């Protein structure tokens, strides 16, 4: 967005391209541009730089709308063990994110246990086992093909016996369109809830930053099966902007908690709406 | 759906004999929106709409169908034309082994596709060897070895060897053991990771694959072109595989990738099991994108 230009249709089209290519989506982009047009004529704006900061503020406001204040501190909780379930479609980075999250907790002095409730995909529990070692957490796993709900149940038993502070449950990637797989997830959720009141205390949906408008469908369907309390947006170290979360924040009120910025154990950061929006215009 | 949407646009333009630039403009705005909502890249959609406009303007309005349906037909035909005429075939080497190199971003479905491709090749009478060249991701080698056991297909791996040497050793292994197809399962990587992209270039230079296939997640949004372009620049891959097409993503990434690379889409991944592999159908893809 060049300096010393007047605010005209070309500039607005340029802004539209930035918004849409960030995966913000047509409806949200058009709404933002429309508000912009109104502001420009109402306030007789002529400085393009002012435009950019207006959009930044509006996008940030849409995002903040999704972060409700009492979900402010992810790391302050009183339940023991604190149960976190991680869900999402295939290949988004759930298992890796769990390794990173577990490490955050153990570095904070907490006793962590991870549960290998992906009993379907080849070497899924072996993969989680390595992350357990890297993060200094315990792991509960069963043989391949075991009932995921049984693994989750086992983990809760083991956690109670060992005075574990945090249990993180890794689930298999699944497309939200697969009715039987979503039912399986509901069952895991139910088993946890029946065993410990209020469990799982957090259910994180992991979204790949490269995902397009299908992200909305994923949030819709996963919300029906489980109570989503947060989103983790991964692979933001790539070139994708992950703008889908802006529309999602407005529509579903689910806060983005963390972003994944790499494949190593430290590559997880708390979500910062300002930095996120700045990156869209970078 | 699209043609009904466009009909309401054309209802306002009564009794016109030709499709004119004006009466098409609004219809094409709707088409553009449909494409963008289907995750077609912004610039690809823009070029596409311009091409459709050129084809549509001045056309005689066909009596048997509405102008809206007519525009849809032009859009549909242009989309199918862009997607490619029909499925392209795999290139096999005259002197075995035929070497396949599977590349792409993290989590796109490469390892799973390697299993599917191996199973597919065996069903065609070949003897495939899968090679675990991902030495980075935790349990990646184990994952491929497990798949090998499930499919009863050989997997090659050697400890303490880098991906370039691994690939070379796998090829000489296949010559001694009679496998006529070698499939290299490489680690997922970012197209902006200089060192990792160099590694792929190095593997290509060392073993000269017959087929390099770029595996992309079917639900990718606007970013699809960035990775595809960079992998294209560095490797000049032969074909594209679009995975997770068993979901409800519209798959606009297919058009975007085809438009910017010109490379054929060879296969669809349509599930997690190893028989979930489909040959690409351009016209089916066009209907899916148009919703
Ligand atoms: N660059 C980058 N890669 C990531 C990130 N998070 C995960 N990955 C990579 O993405 C790939 C998939 O990660 P997994 O953790 O196996 O994903 P998953 O969701 O558990 O996959 P399934 O269980 O098969 O559904 C791996 O290669 C990871 O290293 C990230 O933030 N950045
Ligand atoms: N539903 C569905 N899932 C798929 C398909 N292809 C792969 N998957 C799943 O996607 C996830 C990732 O697949 P992988 O084969 O591990 O992906 P990858 O590209 O090798 O991942 P990295 O090596 O980490 O880059 C797994 O859960 C697979 O089962 C597909 O066509 N449909
Ligand atoms: Mg996993
Ligand atoms: Mg892999």
């Amino acid at each position: 967005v060049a300096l010393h230009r007047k605010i005209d249709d070309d500039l607005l089209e340029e802004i539209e391209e930035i918004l849409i290519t960030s995966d913000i989506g047509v409806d949200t982009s058009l709404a933002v541009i429309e508000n912009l047009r109104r502001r420009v004529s109402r306030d007789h704006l002529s400085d393009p730089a002012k435009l950019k900061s207006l959009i930044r503020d509006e996008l940030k406001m849409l995002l903040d709308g999704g972060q409700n204040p009492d979900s402010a501190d992810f790391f302050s909780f009183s339940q023991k063990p604190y149960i976190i379930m991680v869900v999402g479609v295939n290949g988004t980075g759930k298992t890796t994110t769990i390794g990173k999250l577990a490490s955050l907790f153990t570095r904070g002095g907490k006793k962590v246990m991870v549960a290998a409730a992906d009993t379907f995909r080849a070497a899924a529990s072996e993969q989680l086992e390595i992350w357990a070692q890297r993060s200094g957490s315990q792991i509960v796993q069963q043989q391949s093909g075991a009932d995921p709900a049984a693994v989750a149940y086992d983990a809760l038993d083991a956690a109670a016996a060992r005075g574990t502070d945090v249990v993180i449950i890794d689930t298999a990637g699944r497309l939200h369109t697969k009715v039987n797989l979503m039912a399986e997830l509901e069952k895991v959720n139910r088993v946890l809830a029946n065993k410990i009141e209020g469990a799982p205390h957090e259910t994180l949906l992991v979204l790949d930053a490269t995902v397009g408008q299908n992200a909305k469908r994923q949030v819709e369907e996963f919300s029906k099966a489980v109570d989503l309390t947060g989103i983790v947006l991964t692979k933001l170290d790539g070139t994708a902007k992950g703008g889908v979360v802006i529309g999602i924040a407005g529509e579903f009120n689910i806060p983005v908690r963390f972003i994944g910025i790499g494949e190593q154990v430290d590559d997880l950061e708390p979500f910062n709406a300002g930095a996120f929006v700045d990156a869209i215009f970078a | 759906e699209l043609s009904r949407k466009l009909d309401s646009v054309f209802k306002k333009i009564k009794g016109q004999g030709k499709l004119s630039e004006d009466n098409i403009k609004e219809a094409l705005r709707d088409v553009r929106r449909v494409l963008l909502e289907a995750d077609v890249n912004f610039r690809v959609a823009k070029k596409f709409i311009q091409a459709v406009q050129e084809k549509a303007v001045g056309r005689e309005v066909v009596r048997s169908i509405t102008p809206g349906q007519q525009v849809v037909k032009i859009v549909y035909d242009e989309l199918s034309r862009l997607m490619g005429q029909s499925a392209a075939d795999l290139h096999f080497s005259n002197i075995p082994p035929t070497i396949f190199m599977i590349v792409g971003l993290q989590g796109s479905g490469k390892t799973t596709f390697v299993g599917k491709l191996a199973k597919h090749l065996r069903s065609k009478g070949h003897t495939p060897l899968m090679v675990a060249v991902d030495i980075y991701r935790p349990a990646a080698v184990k994952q491929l070895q497990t798949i090998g056991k499930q499919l009863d297909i050989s997997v090659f791996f050697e400890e303490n060897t880098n991906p370039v040497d691994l690939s070379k050793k796998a090829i000489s292994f296949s010559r001694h053991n009679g496998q006529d197809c070698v499939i290299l399962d490489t680690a997922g990587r970012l197209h902006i990771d200089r060192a990792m992209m160099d590694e792929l270039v190095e593997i290509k230079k060392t073993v000269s694959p017959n087929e390099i296939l770029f595996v992309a997640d079917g639900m990718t949004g606007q970013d699809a072109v960035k990775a595809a372009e960079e992998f294209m620049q560095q490797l000049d891959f032969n074909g594209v595989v679009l995975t997770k097409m068993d979901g409800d993503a519209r798959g606009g990434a297919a058009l975007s990738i085809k438009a910017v690379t010109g490379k054929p889409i060879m296969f669809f991944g349509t599930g997690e099991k190893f028989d979930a592999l489909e040959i690409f159908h351009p016209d089916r893809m066009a209907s899916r994108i148009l919703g």
Side-chain angles (χ1 to χ4, degrees):
Chain A
V1 183
L3 299 156
H4 309 301
R5 286 177 58 178
K6 58 182 171 59
I7 296 176
D8 58 8
D9 277 348
D10 280 350
L11 182 59
L12 288 178
E13 201 191 299
E14 212 169 292
I15 291 174
E16 184 196 33
E17 178 167 357
I18 293 176
L19 297 179
I20 290 186
T21 55
S22 308
D23 285 314
I24 285 177
V26 179
D27 286 338
T28 308
S29 300
L30 291 184
V32 169
I33 299 277
E34 205 33 51
N35 284 345
L36 214 60
R37 253 184 234 277
R38 259 182 260 135
R39 286 291 293 274
V40 168
S41 58
R42 187 195 74 189
D43 303 347
H44 307 293
L45 297 175
S46 58
D47 178 11
K50 183 92 186 88
L51 258 199
K52 213 166 154 196
S53 76
L54 279 180
I55 302 172
R56 267 214 195 88
D57 291 345
E58 174 148 10
L59 294 179
K60 189 166 176 308
M61 196 180 61
L62 285 172
L63 268 175
D64 288 339
Q67 326 270 130
N68 68 64
D70 41 88
S71 65
D73 190 1
F74 190 81
F75 295 100
S76 69
F77 46 85
S78 51
Q79 302 92 330
K80 180 169 169 149
Y82 195 63
I83 317 288
I84 302 170
M85 185 166 65
V86 177
V87 305
V89 303
N90 308 71
T92 55
K94 299 176 290 301
T95 306
T96 306
T97 297
I98 289 171
K100 297 170 182 176
L101 197 54
S103 173
L104 273 179
F105 281 116
T106 56
R107 272 180 279 155
K110 298 272 185 245
K111 280 182 92 190
V112 180
M113 173 175 295
V114 296
D118 177 356
T119 55
F120 168 75
R121 208 210 66 213
S125 50
E126 286 90 329
Q127 182 188 10
L128 188 65
E129 200 169 358
I130 292 171
W131 280 110
Q133 288 163 15
R134 285 182 183 179
S135 60
S137 351
Q138 311 239 282
I139 180 168
V140 164
Q141 49 186 321
Q142 290 184 17
Q143 74 285 1
S144 159
D147 179 1
V151 179
Y153 189 92
D154 264 11
L156 262 45
D157 271 345
R162 298 180 207 185
T164 302
D165 297 307
V166 183
V167 177
I168 312 178
I169 302 173
D170 190 12
T171 64
R174 71 201 65 222
L175 292 184
H176 50 289
T177 48
K178 309 253 157 123
V179 177
N180 58 328
L181 297 184
M182 296 308 283
E184 173 186 272
L185 191 60
E186 271 183 75
K187 178 177 171 202
V188 175
N189 197 38
R190 210 167 36 243
V191 162
L192 293 171
N194 289 339
K195 186 144 177 70
I196 292 185
E197 169 132 25
H201 306 105
E202 289 275 357
T203 302
L204 300 175
L205 177 70
V206 178
L207 290 178
D208 187 325
T210 65
V211 73
Q213 297 310 302
N214 195 249
K216 294 209 189 87
R217 288 286 303 128
Q218 295 174 24
V219 176
E220 260 167 21
E221 294 305 323
F222 274 89
S223 295
K224 289 184 196 156
V226 296
D227 173 27
L228 296 178
T229 60
I231 288 171
V232 178
L233 190 61
T234 62
K235 308 179 195 173
L236 271 176
D237 47 321
T239 51
K241 304 288 184 167
V244 286
V245 297
I246 294 177
I248 287 170
E251 199 175 330
F252 296 94
N253 251 292
I254 302 171
V256 181
R257 291 307 219 150
F258 299 97
I259 59 172
I261 52 164
E263 303 186 70
Q264 306 311 322
V265 74
D266 297 332
D267 293 329
L268 189 73
E269 285 180 358
F271 180 70
N272 179 317
F276 179 79
V277 170
D278 285 344
I280 287 178
F281 287 95
Chain B
E1 28 89 314
L2 185 60
S3 99
R4 252 182 283 130
K5 247 189 237 159
L6 298 189
D7 277 342
S8 63
V9 171
F10 279 104
K11 262 209 175 65
K12 312 175 196 156
I13 315 150
K14 291 224 162 69
Q16 304 207 346
K18 281 201 177 37
L19 295 175
S20 80
E21 185 154 346
D22 284 336
N23 66 23
I24 289 187
K25 235 190 181 108
E26 193 171 342
L28 290 187
R29 245 198 301 275
D30 279 349
V31 174
R32 180 176 163 259
R33 176 188 261 267
V34 167
L35 294 178
L36 292 177
E37 286 172 342
D39 290 323
V40 175
N41 178 265
F42 187 91
R43 294 210 173 158
V44 170
K46 196 168 179 189
K47 282 214 192 85
F48 178 83
I49 294 298
Q50 280 168 348
V52 168
Q53 176 148 2
E54 283 161 26
K55 292 216 160 75
V57 169
R59 280 263 190 106
E60 294 295 335
V61 173
V62 172
R63 216 164 286 274
S64 54
I65 59 179
T66 67
Q69 287 171 329
Q70 196 164 346
V71 170
V72 171
K73 172 118 187 20
I74 296 171
V75 169
Y76 182 87
D77 290 347
E78 181 62 13
L79 208 57
S80 308
R81 188 190 68 80
L82 257 180
M83 298 299 252
Q85 293 318 322
S86 60
D89 289 325
L90 292 170
H91 301 107
F92 289 90
S93 170
N94 289 326
I95 306 162
T98 296
I99 305 166
F100 299 87
M101 183 178 170
I102 311 303
V103 304
L105 298 180
Q106 290 91 345
S108 63
K110 299 173 292 301
T111 305
T112 306
F113 173 70
V114 168
K116 294 176 180 180
L117 179 61
K119 185 170 207 272
H120 171 77
L121 291 171
R122 182 176 57 186
S123 72
K124 299 276 176 214
H126 295 282
T127 319
L129 174 71
M130 304 189 293
V131 187
V133 187
D134 180 354
I135 59 170
Y136 309 100
R137 167 177 154 154
V141 173
K142 194 87 206 340
Q143 182 185 7
L144 193 63
Q145 288 171 332
T146 303
I147 291 173
K149 287 207 197 77
Q150 288 171 351
L151 295 176
D152 190 24
I153 292 178
S154 309
V155 174
F156 180 87
F157 175 68
E158 218 180 72
E159 296 276 356
N160 302 317
T161 317
N162 67 63
V164 180
D165 291 336
L166 251 177
S167 308
K168 227 191 314 171
K169 290 186 179 193
I171 300 197
S172 32
F173 178 88
S174 75
R175 291 204 176 98
H176 290 128
N177 288 274
Q179 287 106 358
D180 71 337
C181 288
V182 173
I183 312 171
L184 306 175
D185 180 21
T186 70
R189 68 205 61 217
L190 295 178
H191 49 295
I192 53 174
D193 186 332
R194 176 85 280 144
M196 288 300 274
M197 291 306 286
D198 285 349
E199 175 186 280
L200 289 182
V201 173
E202 186 68 16
I203 293 175
K204 176 181 181 180
K205 209 170 14 156
T206 307
V207 305
S208 304
N210 303 93
E211 284 276 351
I212 302 178
L213 298 179
F214 177 66
V215 176
D217 191 319
M219 42 186 139
T220 308
Q222 295 290 315
D223 195 60
V225 297
K226 294 225 183 77
E229 273 175 332
E230 188 58 27
F231 273 79
M232 209 19 226
Q233 277 256 11
Q234 297 293 327
L235 300 172
D236 189 25
F237 55 77
N238 304 81
V240 179
V241 177
L242 223 52
T243 62
K244 307 174 202 172
M245 294 306 282
D246 42 321
D248 58 1
R250 298 270 291 283
L255 177 62
S256 306
I257 294 174
K258 181 78 181 37
V260 301
T261 65
K263 297 299 179 178
I265 300 183
M266 314 279 297
F267 297 104
F268 277 163
T270 54
E272 296 191 71
K273 307 241 168 88
F274 299 101
D275 52 4
L277 188 67
E278 281 181 22
I279 309 284
F280 176 67
H281 276 288
D283 50 346
R284 260 194 240 160
M285 195 61 223
S287 323
R288 178 171 180 150
I289 289 177
L290 291 180

